[in-house]
Amino acid sequence: MCPEQDRGAIRVRRALIVGEMRKGRPVVYQEPLARCRSCGEVIAPSRMLERVMALLGSEADAYRRVLTRYCAPCRALVGRQDGAGGERGT
């Protein structure tokens, strides 16, 4: 139920379109996914990463490169490679 329906924002009518149902569930919106630069695995939805960075505030810069570029297992490997827990070479 749309709270703005009474103001004419949307008109809803019940309908059953069998042909559309056979196609399966439609994707209304799909958030772009951030993928690991090392292995290609999904890290998280892009907006989720943006929100995490916003919550980190001034500390975000220290973590941004690793958190937004690598999945958790690859972050551990990147940290071991440079000995400091950060990214080496990029």
Side-chain angles (χ1 to χ4, degrees):
M1 185 77 166
C2 176
E4 298 296 320
Q5 186 173 352
D6 292 339
R7 295 183 185 148
I10 188 172
R11 293 177 196 249
V12 180
R13 88 183 152 101
R14 293 181 184 263
L16 177 63
I17 305 170
V18 177
E20 290 297 315
M21 290 180 65
R22 287 189 181 128
K23 293 179 185 177
R25 292 183 178 193
V27 175
V28 177
Y29 176 77
Q30 186 170 0
E31 178 68 29
L33 300 173
R35 294 195 171 268
C36 179
R37 290 186 178 193
S38 181
C39 70
E41 284 296 314
V42 172
I43 300 169
S46 298
R47 287 175 66 186
M48 180 185 288
L49 287 177
E50 289 172 15
R51 178 68 177 137
V52 169
M53 293 301 114
L55 290 171
L56 287 172
S58 62
E59 296 178 36
D61 290 338
Y63 299 104
R64 181 178 311 276
R65 287 179 26 203
V66 176
L67 290 177
T68 61
R69 293 181 184 180
Y70 298 101
C71 64
C74 290
R75 276 184 228 139
L77 293 174
V78 169
R80 285 189 204 121
Q81 288 174 358
D82 73 4
E87 181 182 358
R88 179 172 49 164
T90 52

